[in-house]
Structure formats: structure tokens, C-alpha cells
Amino acid sequence: MRGGGGGGWAVLVVLAGVAAVTAVEYTNQFAVVVAGGRERAARAAAKHGCSLVDSIGDLTDHYLFECHTVHKRSTQHSRHHTDRLRETDEILWADQQYYKTRRKRDGAGDGGGLTEELLNEISDSGPSAAGPLRRATLKEDPPPAPQEPPPQTEFRRSTAADYWPDPLFKEQWYLNGGARDGSDMNVLPAWQQGYRGQGVVVSILDDGIQPNHPDLAANYDGRASLDINDDDDDPTPRDDGFNRHGTRCAGEVAAIAGNQYCGVGVAPNASIGGVRMLDGGVNDYVEAKALSYRRNYIDVYSASWGPEDDGKTVDGPGPLARRAFIEGVLKGRGGKGSIFVWASGNGGRYVDNCNCDGYTNSIFTLSISSATQGGKKPWYLEECASTLATTYSSGTSASAPLAAGIIALTLGANPNLTWRDMQYITLMTSRPEPLAHELGWLTNGVGRKVSHKFGYGLMDAGAMVDLARRWHTVPTQHICITPLDSRTRRIPAEEGGELHTSMEVNACQGSPQSVNFLEHVQCKVTLTHVPRGGLRILLSSPSGTVSTLLFERPQDVLGSSFDRWPFMSVHFWGERPEGVWNLTVVNTKAAASAGTSSSDSVLKEWQLILYGTEQEPVHLTPAEQGTGSDAGAGHSAVVSRSEDSSPGVYCSRSCVLACQSQPAADMCKRCRDHYESPCQRWCDPGTYYGGEAGCQPCHATCATCLGRLANQCMDCAAGHYLIADLSVCVPACPDGYFTANETCQSCGPHCTACDGSANHCVSCAPHLFLHNSQCVASCPAGTYRLQQRSVGR
Ligand SMILES: *[C@@H]1O[C@H](CO)[C@@H](O)[C@H](O)[C@H]1NC(C)=O
Ligand SMILES: *[C@@H]1O[C@H](CO)[C@@H](O)[C@H](O)[C@H]1NC(C)=O
Ligand SMILES: *[C@@H]1O[C@H](CO)[C@@H](O)[C@H](O)[C@H]1NC(C)=O
Ligand SMILES: *[C@@H]1O[C@H](CO)[C@@H](O)[C@H](O)[C@H]1NC(C)=O
């Protein structure tokens, strides 16, 4: 939470004085489920000497009781009172709330299906043995490592750098082409098309936000804000110098553009709120309340926190937070599903793995990783198979709010998108190329490049809005749960020893849950091994994609088991699931053994949960004549299967830019013809696709060109002005244009030359007369015709 602009950094431990505390601290608060309304819940509370103090966000029928016969703080679980509540007819479920500073999770994560039946099952299943409470750790970006190489910034997109006058916009390298090789998150094309997040509501779940911040105030949305820590509506952070994180995150999403303060947000017209929840004790109730708060009003929740990233914790959401996720995707945003954006973790220095974090590991969250300005892995990055995509964020701030901003732009382009549509669009448009300097990219069974560090690559706002406009909602999600393989198998004791096991999967063919096109895959694993951190677990699909579900974690020396832990991978997306899946458990001995014998080192059971669709999921509206665009799509899975039904392949950066600015341009079809599908090659900005010759440099007058024609400019080299409607860069604007902000803009319809603005005419079309810098058809009363300003040139 420290940090401001300077990059000072500390992991924030949210609960006070926790370092040495390991005991669970129970409270007199109980989460309960009572059907039939608040009054019935209040009566049930009174019956037990409790008061109804709160409902829990928008969770259906969930309430918080405070029970006066129970100690406010105790190390003892009040089993007696919990049982009494549970035995009451009208109380369907009850769970005592407690704070706990360190917890090894041995319960199941999410993994339930998405039907009301499953919801009920989940809500009836009672509290899990592993309780809901934890302390949260802020995932604030540490400063870049000292050895970070300076980015190469030979090429900068001049128009982008000058697009906003805000004084710090020039420093926002991740928005203005300032990363290595002129890369950025390609937000400019989205802005240029008018997508600025207007009408989209984002809330930052953090340590509060400052409503009156001059660069946020006009976008601040009190309806998307709440203070859970002090139980009021004002999310203003406690002003002790340590609670700036939420406000910074809010600025990254929605700082106002076009003013004289600071920089700009990714979605500078989005409504922004904050839930203050990290400046106090965090428990399941607090998390669930935040995650379900006004779920029909808030579109996107951005969270940059989770269990401790210490390389040894295995922890996830408790029963209420899990329910908040499930209800959120089912009921939030009017049934289209809340969008939960999650930072994937900062435990890199402890060699943590974000697949041990049940929040990023969840199928309901968009888990976002970070890349440095040089396109590299920051030293704090955690690798895991559940990361979907990446934003640039090193040295600036968290990756989640930048992603939340891009998602706000995308929802602006198509508010109908569901939570799953958003995941598809994110992974289909993310770009591996700017991050190709890091090793570790694999190509999955549908030809997409994916990495444990970066998921599918760097998010691309321009391509996302473009694809969003043409998107049709994906078919119903199917969930196919394979039989449990519970044959106990020994994990070899020797270093490097591998346990191999495989499972023949029919993907529920012939049942109502058949899956033919994969989305997420969860692999629930139960095993014991000391030290747990010495294991590496890999899963391979019938297509041959090998995804590492768990890397060894040297710090995890005391952990000894996974108990139905749902490791999640997004690497198989688009593949067909039928066939043989192999699970490999490798004993790397990477963690020092805690001296225990390995006699009980066994894989006890494993099971796959396959999420996906029965039907081809991706259908795109063809590029419309005149308004659509022909690029930015590229669902390579679909393209490779049904080449002709897909109108465009996202294969060249300049192709996307071209089609966004010039819908009729045909170069995208051309590049589709010329590149193998699925596309894996790109022409960088500053180059264009020159057919056989490959990527060729643009004409010297252009900074970025559109493709095919070197001098068809998207924006201009220094000292040139862009005539946007002709895509030409010139050293001086010709007649009929005036000069404004490095572009040549057309004079008004009747002026043949103008000065300073479109309507400040200095010469007029034939038969018109110049009067007070206007071109008029006849001389007004009281004036006389001096000279006909017809163009005689
Ligand atoms: C976006 O915000 C700016 C600055 O507050 C405002 O001038 C502009 O009208 C807004 N645009 C839209 C489309 O809401
Ligand atoms: C969103 O849905 C509405 C109603 O079905 C439809 O009219 C509209 O065209 C859709 N918008 C987009 C961008 O798909
Ligand atoms: C899975 O295991 C089987 C049997 O050991 C092997 O033949 C097959 O090649 C493996 N598949 C992959 C993708 O590694
Ligand atoms: C040029 O940019 C300034 C802000 O930088 C803006 O106020 C002005 O309207 C722009 N002029 C034109 C003609 O777009």
C-alpha cells in the first residue's frame, strides 16, 4: 500500500499484528441463509438472542447475525450455538465467522456447476471444514528489478503520445507506444472509435478510494462504493499514508482524460467506485459482501489481493465468497454475469504458484499477469496455468485495474457480452508477440500460443472492442465431470522420479453435459507428499498440450497434502477433450525435506472437470460494409476448422489498425490469405504487410502505416501532418484543410480555405460570399458585394 508514484513497496498485511498469530479468532457473527425475506430472518435471529445486522451484499437470502450470548472474540468455535441455529427450521445454513491469519486450505474450491440445483447443493453443503477466513495480502506491484533492461523505444507512435493533454500522459508508456518496440496495449484505436468506458461501472475492491480526487471526482460513482470496514457508504481511505492503493487502482481505470491533472485512465469515462474492505479484518462475509455488492449495477469488480503469496499457502475463497462468484456469474449484470478481474499474484520471489490461490484459480475470475516495459517477466510474477492474459504494469501499478479498464472499453462496444464471452474475447485477442522475449511459450492443440507466465499474451484493447462488436454470445456452458480415479499410486521417492497415470475421457458424449470444445479444465487432485513443495504436476490433453498445474515451490516445506484441490488450466481452450489425458507427478526434491519418511507419498485420487460447449462456440458477424471491420477476430480454433465461415484472421497489427480506421480496406483478407491459419506472425507498427516480401518498413512520412501501401499512413512521422481521410502525411496542410493538433482537418463545406478552425473561412466556394469569416449565399442587409470569393486558383 505504500508506494505512491515512487515505487516504494511493501506487502501489506491487512490484519494488525498477525505475524506471530496462528490461532483462529472466532467472532459472534454468523452468516445464515433464511428464505422468505428479511423480516423472517429478523424473527429467526431474535429467537436465538441474535440481531440481524446485515444482508450479505446481493447474495440471495444471506444475512449476518450478531449473537449476544456468544463471545465477541474467542479462540473457541461455538459449536453449540452454530448447531442450534442450524437446527432451526427457517435457517437453512449457518456458519460462524472467524478471523484467521494463516490457513492451509484442505477443502474444495469452486468447481460446482452453474445451475440452480448446484447452487442449492452448494448452499446446503454447510460450512466446509476449512473455514472462510484469512488475512488478505495486497498484490501491489513491486518496483522493477534493477537488472530490467532499458526498453527499446526507437519507434513511438507520435499520435498516441500526444493524444491527451494530461501532463502525465506522456509517462504512460503502456498506453502510448512506449514499451519495447513501440508496443502498448493498443488502447488508442478503442478511444478513437469513441469507446471510453461511458456507461460502464467498475468498482475497486481494496483499501478505499478518494471520491474527491480531482482526476476522479467527475467519474466517481457513489452507488458503486461502500465502506465495509467502517460500515458506511463513504469509501474514503483512512489518511495515514498507507491507504493509497485503491485510489491508484481507480485512477488506472478511470482517471479523467483531457484535463490538467495527472494522466489518464484506460477507460476515462467509466463510472468508478470503490469498496473499502482491506483496511480491517477480512473474513468470508467481508469478501462475499464486496464481491456481490450491487451486482446488477456494478459491471466489473477489480481485485488485487488474495491469500498470502508466500510460496507455501494453498488457500481459496470460503463458502460465502464462492457463492458470491457463482451467483455473480449467474445473476449479476442482469444475468450476463459479473466480471471479476483478479491480479494473479506477486509471490514470484518465493517461487509461488498462483494455482495455489483459489481466487485466481477460479474459472469465474479473469486472472491477469504482468509484463515489464521490456516485455519480460517481472521478478515478482507467479507462474501458473490459470492466468488468462497480461497487462503491462511493472513499476506503475497493478495489472488488474488496467485489465478492468480494457474490459470497460470492451463492454462499451458490446454491453451484451457475458462473463464467458469476455474470457473468450480476452484470450482470442491477446498477443504473445510483444512478450516473445521470454521463454516458455507453448502452442496448444488449436494453434494458440500460451504461457504459464503470461497466459495468452498482452491484452489488446483495439482488437477486443473490434471483436466485441462482431460477437455472438457463446452457447450454454456444459460441465462434464469425469469419474474419480481413486486407485492409490505411490509417488517415487527418488529425485526426478515420475508417477504417470492416464484417464480415457469420453467428455460426457451422449449426455446433456457433453463437451466438444473446451474452455477451462480443472484437475482435482488429492495426494500426500512431504514436502509438498517438492512436487511438479503436469496434465496433458489428447491434443498433446502439456500444462503445468503446479511448479515446485521451494518454500512449501511443511505442507504435506492437497485435498481435492482444483488446479485449473486455461491452456486447453478450444481443444477437443475426448481421448487420453495424462497426469504426471514429478518428485523434484526442490524443497528441503522436513525429515519425514516418504512412505505415505501417494496420489490418492484425481478427476477432471471439463468446462466448455457442445457446439462450436464462436460465431462472428461478418464485417459490415462501411461500419464493420475485417480484423481483430481470429478465433484460430474456429478458423482452422471452418475456414470460410470466419471472415477475418487477426494476423497483422497494422491490419487491425487499418480495418478499424478504414472498414473497406481489403488488406486484412489479403493477409489472411498469405498467412497460415492460425496466424502466428505479425507486422509490427512501423511496418506493413508486403506480400511475399513479408513485413516492410512504412514510408518515411508515416509512423504507422495501414498495410499494403507503404504510404497509407495511420499516423505521421515527426514534422508531418496527417490528412486522416486520405491516410496521407504531408509537411504542410493543403488548401481546404486547416492545421490542428498535428493533423490536417477539413474546412467547413462551403470554405475552400480556412484558418484555425473549420468555420473560419478565408475563401468560399463559387457563388458564395465571405462575410465575417462565413460563406454566405447572399450579402446580408446593410452590406454590399465587394468581391466574389470564388476560387479561381
Ligand atoms: C468523457 O469525459 C469528458 C471529461 O469529463 C467529458 O468532457 C466528455 O463529454 C465525456 N464523454 C462521454 C462520451 O461521455
Ligand atoms: C445486444 O442485444 C440487443 C438485444 O438482443 C441487440 O438488439 C443488440 O444489437 C445487441 N448489441 C450488440 C452490440 O450485439
Ligand atoms: C499419455 O500416456 C500414454 C501412455 O503412457 C502415452 O502413450 C501418450 O503418448 C501420452 N500422451 C501424451 C500427450 O503425452
Ligand atoms: C487540439 O487539442 C486540444 C487539446 O490538446 C483540444 O482542446 C482541441 O479541441 C483540439 N483541436 C481540434 C481541432 O481537434
Side-chain angles (χ1 to χ4, degrees), residues 245-266:
H245 187 260
T247 303
R248 277 176 50 193
C249 291
E252 275 143 18
V253 177
I256 291 161
N259 65 14
Q260 291 309 311
Y261 294 108
C262 308
V264 308
V266 171

PDB file of all heavy atoms in Angstrom, residues 245-266:
ATOM      1  N   HIS A 245      -3.605   2.589  -2.203  1.00  0.00           N
ATOM      2  CA  HIS A 245      -3.612   1.588  -3.270  1.00  0.00           C
ATOM      3  C   HIS A 245      -4.891   1.613  -4.079  1.00  0.00           C
ATOM      4  O   HIS A 245      -4.872   1.619  -5.304  1.00  0.00           O
ATOM      5  CB  HIS A 245      -3.382   0.210  -2.638  1.00  0.00           C
ATOM      6  CG  HIS A 245      -3.198  -0.888  -3.623  1.00  0.00           C
ATOM      7  ND1 HIS A 245      -4.202  -1.760  -3.965  1.00  0.00           N
ATOM      8  CD2 HIS A 245      -2.128  -1.267  -4.352  1.00  0.00           C
ATOM      9  CE1 HIS A 245      -3.736  -2.627  -4.847  1.00  0.00           C
ATOM     10  NE2 HIS A 245      -2.491  -2.358  -5.105  1.00  0.00           N
ATOM     11  N   GLY A 246      -6.041   1.674  -3.371  1.00  0.00           N
ATOM     12  CA  GLY A 246      -7.318   1.658  -4.075  1.00  0.00           C
ATOM     13  C   GLY A 246      -7.492   2.866  -4.982  1.00  0.00           C
ATOM     14  O   GLY A 246      -7.979   2.750  -6.113  1.00  0.00           O
ATOM     15  N   THR A 247      -7.077   4.022  -4.495  1.00  0.00           N
ATOM     16  CA  THR A 247      -7.218   5.236  -5.304  1.00  0.00           C
ATOM     17  C   THR A 247      -6.328   5.160  -6.537  1.00  0.00           C
ATOM     18  O   THR A 247      -6.720   5.548  -7.640  1.00  0.00           O
ATOM     19  CB  THR A 247      -6.885   6.479  -4.453  1.00  0.00           C
ATOM     20  OG1 THR A 247      -7.747   6.476  -3.320  1.00  0.00           O
ATOM     21  CG2 THR A 247      -7.082   7.758  -5.244  1.00  0.00           C
ATOM     22  N   ARG A 248      -5.145   4.622  -6.355  1.00  0.00           N
ATOM     23  CA  ARG A 248      -4.264   4.456  -7.522  1.00  0.00           C
ATOM     24  C   ARG A 248      -4.888   3.518  -8.547  1.00  0.00           C
ATOM     25  O   ARG A 248      -4.862   3.782  -9.747  1.00  0.00           O
ATOM     26  CB  ARG A 248      -2.913   3.904  -7.081  1.00  0.00           C
ATOM     27  CG  ARG A 248      -1.979   4.959  -6.593  1.00  0.00           C
ATOM     28  CD  ARG A 248      -0.688   4.358  -6.085  1.00  0.00           C
ATOM     29  NE  ARG A 248      -0.101   3.432  -7.044  1.00  0.00           N
ATOM     30  CZ  ARG A 248       0.879   2.593  -6.738  1.00  0.00           C
ATOM     31  NH1 ARG A 248       1.341   2.532  -5.530  1.00  0.00           N
ATOM     32  NH2 ARG A 248       1.381   1.795  -7.667  1.00  0.00           N
ATOM     33  N   CYS A 249      -5.430   2.419  -8.049  1.00  0.00           N
ATOM     34  CA  CYS A 249      -6.074   1.469  -8.968  1.00  0.00           C
ATOM     35  C   CYS A 249      -7.230   2.151  -9.707  1.00  0.00           C
ATOM     36  O   CYS A 249      -7.409   1.974 -10.912  1.00  0.00           O
ATOM     37  CB  CYS A 249      -6.596   0.255  -8.212  1.00  0.00           C
ATOM     38  SG  CYS A 249      -5.299  -0.806  -7.548  1.00  0.00           S
ATOM     39  N   ALA A 250      -8.001   2.945  -8.962  1.00  0.00           N
ATOM     40  CA  ALA A 250      -9.143   3.635  -9.576  1.00  0.00           C
ATOM     41  C   ALA A 250      -8.664   4.558 -10.688  1.00  0.00           C
ATOM     42  O   ALA A 250      -9.274   4.653 -11.758  1.00  0.00           O
ATOM     43  CB  ALA A 250      -9.908   4.415  -8.514  1.00  0.00           C
ATOM     44  N   GLY A 251      -7.552   5.249 -10.447  1.00  0.00           N
ATOM     45  CA  GLY A 251      -7.003   6.144 -11.462  1.00  0.00           C
ATOM     46  C   GLY A 251      -6.578   5.384 -12.705  1.00  0.00           C
ATOM     47  O   GLY A 251      -6.761   5.856 -13.828  1.00  0.00           O
ATOM     48  N   GLU A 252      -6.012   4.209 -12.516  1.00  0.00           N
ATOM     49  CA  GLU A 252      -5.606   3.429 -13.684  1.00  0.00           C
ATOM     50  C   GLU A 252      -6.809   3.043 -14.533  1.00  0.00           C
ATOM     51  O   GLU A 252      -6.715   2.945 -15.749  1.00  0.00           O
ATOM     52  CB  GLU A 252      -4.847   2.177 -13.243  1.00  0.00           C
ATOM     53  CG  GLU A 252      -3.398   2.491 -13.025  1.00  0.00           C
ATOM     54  CD  GLU A 252      -2.799   1.746 -11.863  1.00  0.00           C
ATOM     55  OE1 GLU A 252      -3.379   0.744 -11.430  1.00  0.00           O
ATOM     56  OE2 GLU A 252      -1.760   2.197 -11.381  1.00  0.00           O
ATOM     57  N   VAL A 253      -7.943   2.849 -13.889  1.00  0.00           N
ATOM     58  CA  VAL A 253      -9.147   2.524 -14.654  1.00  0.00           C
ATOM     59  C   VAL A 253      -9.745   3.775 -15.274  1.00  0.00           C
ATOM     60  O   VAL A 253     -10.025   3.802 -16.470  1.00  0.00           O
ATOM     61  CB  VAL A 253     -10.210   1.858 -13.755  1.00  0.00           C
ATOM     62  CG1 VAL A 253     -11.490   1.594 -14.553  1.00  0.00           C
ATOM     63  CG2 VAL A 253      -9.688   0.578 -13.145  1.00  0.00           C
ATOM     64  N   ALA A 254      -9.951   4.816 -14.460  1.00  0.00           N
ATOM     65  CA  ALA A 254     -10.882   5.866 -14.905  1.00  0.00           C
ATOM     66  C   ALA A 254     -10.447   7.285 -14.574  1.00  0.00           C
ATOM     67  O   ALA A 254     -11.296   8.155 -14.405  1.00  0.00           O
ATOM     68  CB  ALA A 254     -12.264   5.588 -14.296  1.00  0.00           C
ATOM     69  N   ALA A 255      -9.149   7.545 -14.489  1.00  0.00           N
ATOM     70  CA  ALA A 255      -8.730   8.938 -14.331  1.00  0.00           C
ATOM     71  C   ALA A 255      -9.239   9.721 -15.550  1.00  0.00           C
ATOM     72  O   ALA A 255      -9.194   9.233 -16.683  1.00  0.00           O
ATOM     73  CB  ALA A 255      -7.216   9.037 -14.222  1.00  0.00           C
ATOM     74  N   ILE A 256      -9.702  10.933 -15.292  1.00  0.00           N
ATOM     75  CA  ILE A 256     -10.333  11.718 -16.357  1.00  0.00           C
ATOM     76  C   ILE A 256      -9.281  12.155 -17.384  1.00  0.00           C
ATOM     77  O   ILE A 256      -8.179  12.541 -17.022  1.00  0.00           O
ATOM     78  CB  ILE A 256     -11.052  12.927 -15.733  1.00  0.00           C
ATOM     79  CG1 ILE A 256     -12.242  12.409 -14.934  1.00  0.00           C
ATOM     80  CG2 ILE A 256     -11.489  13.924 -16.792  1.00  0.00           C
ATOM     81  CD1 ILE A 256     -12.767  13.384 -13.934  1.00  0.00           C
ATOM     82  N   ALA A 257      -9.654  12.064 -18.633  1.00  0.00           N
ATOM     83  CA  ALA A 257      -8.735  12.445 -19.701  1.00  0.00           C
ATOM     84  C   ALA A 257      -9.086  13.840 -20.200  1.00  0.00           C
ATOM     85  O   ALA A 257     -10.241  14.262 -20.145  1.00  0.00           O
ATOM     86  CB  ALA A 257      -8.833  11.443 -20.848  1.00  0.00           C
ATOM     87  N   GLY A 258      -8.072  14.522 -20.677  1.00  0.00           N
ATOM     88  CA  GLY A 258      -8.315  15.813 -21.293  1.00  0.00           C
ATOM     89  C   GLY A 258      -8.290  16.954 -20.303  1.00  0.00           C
ATOM     90  O   GLY A 258      -8.740  18.047 -20.599  1.00  0.00           O
ATOM     91  N   ASN A 259      -7.750  16.723 -19.095  1.00  0.00           N
ATOM     92  CA  ASN A 259      -7.639  17.826 -18.145  1.00  0.00           C
ATOM     93  C   ASN A 259      -6.171  18.051 -17.776  1.00  0.00           C
ATOM     94  O   ASN A 259      -5.271  17.446 -18.356  1.00  0.00           O
ATOM     95  CB  ASN A 259      -8.520  17.572 -16.910  1.00  0.00           C
ATOM     96  CG  ASN A 259      -8.054  16.362 -16.113  1.00  0.00           C
ATOM     97  OD1 ASN A 259      -6.948  15.863 -16.310  1.00  0.00           O
ATOM     98  ND2 ASN A 259      -8.898  15.907 -15.212  1.00  0.00           N
ATOM     99  N   GLN A 260      -5.953  18.895 -16.808  1.00  0.00           N
ATOM    100  CA  GLN A 260      -4.581  19.264 -16.461  1.00  0.00           C
ATOM    101  C   GLN A 260      -4.055  18.503 -15.244  1.00  0.00           C
ATOM    102  O   GLN A 260      -3.074  18.893 -14.630  1.00  0.00           O
ATOM    103  CB  GLN A 260      -4.505  20.779 -16.211  1.00  0.00           C
ATOM    104  CG  GLN A 260      -4.699  21.592 -17.484  1.00  0.00           C
ATOM    105  CD  GLN A 260      -3.790  21.129 -18.621  1.00  0.00           C
ATOM    106  OE1 GLN A 260      -2.589  20.959 -18.445  1.00  0.00           O
ATOM    107  NE2 GLN A 260      -4.392  20.898 -19.799  1.00  0.00           N
ATOM    108  N   TYR A 261      -4.754  17.412 -14.879  1.00  0.00           N
ATOM    109  CA  TYR A 261      -4.298  16.640 -13.729  1.00  0.00           C
ATOM    110  C   TYR A 261      -3.718  15.302 -14.173  1.00  0.00           C
ATOM    111  O   TYR A 261      -4.314  14.579 -14.992  1.00  0.00           O
ATOM    112  CB  TYR A 261      -5.463  16.330 -12.791  1.00  0.00           C
ATOM    113  CG  TYR A 261      -6.057  17.539 -12.134  1.00  0.00           C
ATOM    114  CD1 TYR A 261      -7.311  17.992 -12.518  1.00  0.00           C
ATOM    115  CD2 TYR A 261      -5.362  18.207 -11.128  1.00  0.00           C
ATOM    116  CE1 TYR A 261      -7.867  19.093 -11.911  1.00  0.00           C
ATOM    117  CE2 TYR A 261      -5.921  19.312 -10.524  1.00  0.00           C
ATOM    118  CZ  TYR A 261      -7.171  19.758 -10.918  1.00  0.00           C
ATOM    119  OH  TYR A 261      -7.718  20.844 -10.330  1.00  0.00           O
ATOM    120  N   CYS A 262      -2.624  14.952 -13.637  1.00  0.00           N
ATOM    121  CA  CYS A 262      -2.090  13.584 -13.714  1.00  0.00           C
ATOM    122  C   CYS A 262      -2.136  13.034 -15.137  1.00  0.00           C
ATOM    123  O   CYS A 262      -1.882  13.743 -16.098  1.00  0.00           O
ATOM    124  CB  CYS A 262      -2.873  12.656 -12.791  1.00  0.00           C
ATOM    125  SG  CYS A 262      -3.021  13.234 -11.109  1.00  0.00           S
ATOM    126  N   GLY A 263      -2.455  11.752 -15.219  1.00  0.00           N
ATOM    127  CA  GLY A 263      -2.535  11.102 -16.522  1.00  0.00           C
ATOM    128  C   GLY A 263      -3.965  10.742 -16.833  1.00  0.00           C
ATOM    129  O   GLY A 263      -4.898  11.417 -16.384  1.00  0.00           O
ATOM    130  N   VAL A 264      -4.151   9.685 -17.601  1.00  0.00           N
ATOM    131  CA  VAL A 264      -5.499   9.289 -17.998  1.00  0.00           C
ATOM    132  C   VAL A 264      -5.729   7.826 -17.632  1.00  0.00           C
ATOM    133  O   VAL A 264      -4.790   7.036 -17.573  1.00  0.00           O
ATOM    134  CB  VAL A 264      -5.737   9.462 -19.517  1.00  0.00           C
ATOM    135  CG1 VAL A 264      -5.376  10.858 -19.969  1.00  0.00           C
ATOM    136  CG2 VAL A 264      -4.958   8.441 -20.319  1.00  0.00           C
ATOM    137  N   GLY A 265      -6.974   7.497 -17.378  1.00  0.00           N
ATOM    138  CA  GLY A 265      -7.336   6.098 -17.156  1.00  0.00           C
ATOM    139  C   GLY A 265      -7.506   5.391 -18.487  1.00  0.00           C
ATOM    140  O   GLY A 265      -7.686   6.026 -19.527  1.00  0.00           O
ATOM    141  N   VAL A 266      -7.466   4.080 -18.443  1.00  0.00           N
ATOM    142  CA  VAL A 266      -7.701   3.307 -19.667  1.00  0.00           C
ATOM    143  C   VAL A 266      -9.119   3.568 -20.183  1.00  0.00           C
ATOM    144  O   VAL A 266      -9.347   3.658 -21.382  1.00  0.00           O
ATOM    145  CB  VAL A 266      -7.510   1.798 -19.380  1.00  0.00           C
ATOM    146  CG1 VAL A 266      -7.959   0.966 -20.565  1.00  0.00           C
ATOM    147  CG2 VAL A 266      -6.058   1.508 -19.036  1.00  0.00           C
TER     148      VAL A 266
END
